[in-house]
Amino acid sequence: FCFSAACFRSCLCKMAACSVEDVLAKAERDEAEKLKSISVHKELDLEFDLGNLMAFDKNPPDSRGFRNQNKDQFLLSLARDNTQLLINELWKLPTERVEEVVVVKLPEPTTRLPREKPAPKPRPPTKWEEFAKLKGIQKKKKTNLVWDEVHKEWKRRWGYNRAKDDTKEWLIEVPETADPNEDQFAKRVKAKKERVAKNELNRLRNIARAQKIKVPGVGLAPTDQPSKNELGKAVQVARVSTASVGKFQDRLPKEKPLRNSGKKRKFQPLIGDFSAEKQRQLDLLKIMDTKKPRLDINKAVNKQMREEDAESGSRRKMTGKKGRRSNFSGKGKGKGKGKGKGQASGGGKNRKPRMKLGKR
């Protein structure tokens, strides 16, 4: 076997050329794989919702290719093609440049997506809002400035330096029914504090009612020197705090019953069950319209039964009085020791025992 140097060199050159070509071809394939074409062919066009950046592919997947190829690689390729189609649709929209950045204004979404959390509920109306809606009271917007007749100028309706500010008066007229020695200025300040506290309490109650939280009662506020009425009220509250609501609670020595501790009157609510209120009004009008008095069957039957019981009781009393005989002599036939022709009730051998009267 004879192998020359020239042949050896030619073989080496061919091998080197083949390897370089293979390397370059492989590099081109890799680059093409990375930078695929933007044109993607699909048998069925995709449906797009550009507002939500969504694309719906209705083409059936290639089951044979999914089984033969790598599953992850197949899914990545499918996702890449659909994403490329979505980006192509975005570039069809009008674009604009904002600070050297190209942006696209998306249209309104057409697909309703489910929320992760429930939608926030609207704020429930307050009692005043429900009452105003029921009575048809509309809120009127008032101006902030009003004319002050005293200072002859326009002033604010509320707040500091407002019009008709009675807190700036240096003289207050004492009412005829008030105590002449009572400080009217202190009384006015106290009344204002009470109004502010009442408004704050109502505000907190509205918040608690909106959040469905049970509002505790006002209770008894602790004071340094409680009065006699406050102590009595505290004792009464402690008494009815037992499981039996104070029914079996013993009274303290020399304890007097608390005044004004009866049941409070319960009025019908202004808002609520309108059908029951309507029925009550109709019944009242029906009673007023009828000339004959309305007959209560139960009341009439009970009255009749009471009258019959009273009549039967009076009859028994009369029968008992007539049936009784005195121990003295009477006018009866027969022989007896007493005066007269009759036999005495107390004597006689042949006297029969008297029957006892009772309920029949």
Side-chain angles (χ1 to χ4, degrees), residues 139-300:
K139 186 177 181 181
K140 297 180 180 179
K141 188 175 181 180
K142 297 181 179 180
T143 58
N144 292 334
L145 298 178
V146 293
W147 180 255
D148 192 356
E149 295 291 343
V150 179
H151 298 87
K152 302 297 180 181
E153 61 179 352
W154 292 93
K155 287 192 173 184
R156 295 182 179 274
R157 187 185 296 272
W158 305 282
Y160 174 73
N161 198 17
R162 62 183 179 273
K164 300 178 183 179
D165 189 4
D166 54 355
T167 59
K168 302 296 182 181
E169 296 177 357
W170 62 275
L171 182 64
I172 301 177
E173 182 179 359
V174 179
E176 296 180 357
T177 57
D179 186 6
N181 298 324
E182 185 179 9
D183 189 358
Q184 299 296 326
F185 292 96
K187 183 178 179 181
R188 174 184 292 175
V189 173
K190 183 179 179 181
K192 182 178 180 180
K193 290 183 178 180
E194 290 178 354
R195 290 196 302 270
V196 172
K198 183 180 179 181
N199 293 337
E200 181 66 16
L201 179 61
N202 292 335
R203 186 183 70 85
L204 296 177
R205 282 180 175 175
N206 288 333
I207 295 174
R209 189 168 63 89
Q211 298 181 358
K212 296 182 180 181
I213 300 175
K214 188 176 180 180
V215 182
V218 178
L220 300 173
T223 55
D224 297 336
Q225 296 180 355
S227 61
K228 183 178 180 181
N229 294 333
E230 292 176 351
L231 290 175
K233 187 176 180 181
V235 171
Q236 183 68 17
V237 171
R239 174 182 295 279
V240 298
S241 298
T242 58
S244 61
V245 197
K247 185 176 181 180
F248 305 103
Q249 191 73 13
D250 297 334
R251 287 190 174 274
L252 299 174
K254 298 182 180 180
E255 181 182 357
K256 297 181 180 179
L258 185 64
R259 296 182 180 179
N260 302 327
S261 61
K263 296 182 179 180
K264 294 185 179 180
R265 294 179 59 187
K266 294 183 178 180
F267 299 95
Q268 297 295 333
L270 296 176
I271 54 178
D273 190 4
F274 299 107
S275 59
E277 182 180 0
K278 180 181 178 181
Q279 188 63 32
R280 286 196 301 269
Q281 299 296 337
L282 290 176
D283 294 343
L284 182 60
L285 291 175
K286 186 176 180 180
I287 294 173
M288 295 172 63
D289 191 22
T290 55
K291 296 181 180 180
K292 296 181 180 180
R294 187 178 179 182
L295 179 62
D296 191 353
I297 302 298
N298 296 332
K299 190 174 181 180

Side-chain angles (χ1 to χ4, degrees), residues 113-130:
L113 299 178
R115 295 175 58 93
E116 179 185 0
K117 297 180 180 179
K121 298 180 180 180
R123 181 182 63 85
T126 60
K127 286 189 175 181
W128 165 249
E129 291 175 352
E130 293 179 356

